[in-house]
Amino acid sequence: MQRKVLLAALVALVALGGCAQRDPNLLVRGLGEFGRSAGDFTLSLKTYELDAEGGVKQSGADEASLRGFVVRTLESKGYTLKSSGPARYAVDAYLLCADTRKASLGFVAEELRLPAEAVGPGYSKDIHYWLPDSRVGMGSANKDALDRRDSSMRRRSGGVFDRPAEASSGGAPLGGQEPAYCQGRVLVPLTPAGSGPQREVFVEREATGNCPAVSGCPLRTCGAALEQSLVDVLERRF
């Protein structure tokens, strides 16, 4: 009983701490609510992987192929890339390739976040994370795959994703018998230019299906899947 009370108190303190850190001048919306006319934009694209402890670390920036997909997709919709200086919109793309079951998660909530130092002054706990998933606007195939995968996740061991040893919908055993895999995660925040005190940011998250199992899950492992997921987000939401 005493342990339950202590745990409840800890959860309450964490919740209060999160509320205290919330920026009252930040309005976060789904990218599906964007609905504005085209204009010029700047683009920042960074890629990430997991370190040996399951923490997120940056692995690259402005990867040429991925950047090209973003620029061509937005230009086909009337947007114009601006290489420097202020623009009407700032588009960021944060891409992760990892075995997310091995990610280091939060103590209370299962969260997979960008390091604050990798984002800089605009970092917000309300924006810069891949997990928990956003279900709004996900492609149906990816959403179904995530629903099946997430429904089988019921326990954590040592702060990492784990799965119970139960049968999947296809009858294959999960848990220790399940093959390793990599997976791509996409996070796209868009920030319109503005001079007022309130900062409005539109955000979309996406996940690829399972990619091949490669040690360390380098970006190329999920490269094609990340490209497709990123283009899907831009095609649907702009």
Side-chain angles (χ1 to χ4, degrees):
M1 181 66 182
Q2 186 177 11
R3 293 177 63 184
K4 290 182 179 180
V5 172
L6 289 174
L7 180 58
L10 178 60
V11 171
L13 286 173
V14 171
L16 287 172
C19 292
Q21 294 173 6
R22 186 176 295 275
D23 183 354
N25 293 319
L26 175 64
L27 179 60
V28 182
R29 293 178 172 174
L31 197 52
E33 301 178 58
F34 178 54
R36 302 190 183 186
S37 59
D40 55 4
F41 70 98
T42 58
L43 175 62
S44 174
L45 188 151
K46 297 179 181 179
T47 58
Y48 297 84
E49 60 187 25
L50 299 182
D51 59 25
E53 287 72 41
V56 177
K57 67 174 182 179
Q58 185 174 336
S59 60
D62 289 327
E63 200 278 337
S65 175
L66 290 166
R67 185 178 179 86
F69 274 97
V70 175
V71 173
R72 288 192 296 272
T73 302
L74 291 182
E75 286 183 343
S76 72
K77 294 177 173 289
Y79 293 81
T80 303
L81 178 66
K82 194 169 184 179
S83 57
S84 61
R88 185 174 181 183
Y89 305 115
V91 178
D92 299 309
Y94 303 103
L95 310 178
L96 173 74
C97 184
D99 183 344
T100 53
R101 298 169 303 172
K102 297 181 178 179
S104 176
L105 303 174
F107 179 71
V108 176
E110 293 185 343
E111 299 174 330
L112 182 59
R113 295 186 173 276
L114 281 153
E117 60 273 15
V119 177
Y123 175 80
S124 170
K125 292 184 70 175
D126 296 325
I127 298 172
H128 296 101
Y129 61 88
W130 291 285
L131 283 171
D133 292 313
S134 171
R135 294 304 189 197
V136 179
M138 277 193 168
S140 58
N142 283 340
K143 181 182 183 300
D144 290 343
L146 282 168
D147 285 343
R148 289 194 299 271
R149 177 180 54 80
D150 291 346
S151 68
S152 68
M153 287 184 188
R154 290 294 182 268
R155 63 187 177 89
R156 285 188 296 168
S157 175
V160 301
F161 272 132
D162 202 352
R163 299 191 186 209
E166 61 185 30
S168 69
S169 57
L174 297 177
Q177 288 73 39
E178 185 183 12
Y181 64 84
C182 301
Q183 187 187 65
R185 292 273 171 168
V186 175
L187 169 63
V188 179
L190 179 147
T191 307
S195 57
Q198 189 172 64
R199 182 166 68 109
E200 189 175 31
V201 183
F202 298 86
V203 182
E204 182 83 352
R205 295 177 184 85
E206 184 63 279
T208 72
N210 294 347
C211 306
V214 176
S215 178
C217 295
L219 183 69
R220 66 179 181 275
T221 310
C222 284
L226 282 168
E227 288 172 356
Q228 185 61 57
S229 293
L230 189 53
V231 169
D232 286 348
V233 167
L234 302 177
E235 288 284 1
R236 289 198 315 266
R237 298 309 185 193
F238 283 81

